[in-house]
Amino acid sequence: KMEQSGVITGFTVTLGAEEFQHNVSGWIMITVEASMEESVIDMLTNMPDISRLFTTNGRWDLAAEIQTQ
């Protein structure tokens, strides 16, 4: 009745830290100026959310896997 009458208009879920331990991951493709590539690699490898970093040939210079909660 409360939903039908508009008193309740939605629901939400609040999870504690122990209930949700899954990581979200994604890939980002990066283009870098040739003279900056080494410093960019150093910077990215020190970022905790970068789980893997690859150098590539072709359109992109780097491919980075990012993981975070």
Side-chain angles (χ1 to χ4, degrees):
K1 274 185 155 181
M2 292 177 83
E3 285 179 284
Q4 291 172 348
S5 68
V7 173
I8 296 176
T9 60
F11 297 89
T12 188
V13 175
T14 304
L15 298 176
E18 293 182 26
E19 286 82 6
F20 189 75
Q21 293 293 323
H22 302 286
N23 284 338
V24 176
S25 64
W27 284 88
I28 184 167
M29 307 303 287
I30 304 166
T31 302
V32 181
E33 289 184 34
S35 63
M36 302 279 301
E37 189 168 322
E38 289 299 320
S39 62
V40 170
I41 290 171
D42 289 341
M43 182 183 66
L44 291 173
T45 55
N46 289 318
M47 296 177 73
D49 293 338
I50 303 291
S51 56
R52 294 193 287 177
L53 183 64
F54 299 94
T55 58
T56 66
N57 293 322
R59 182 176 179 183
W60 310 106
D61 300 311
L62 303 170
E65 182 181 32
I66 302 168
Q67 290 189 343
T68 190
Q69 285 193 330

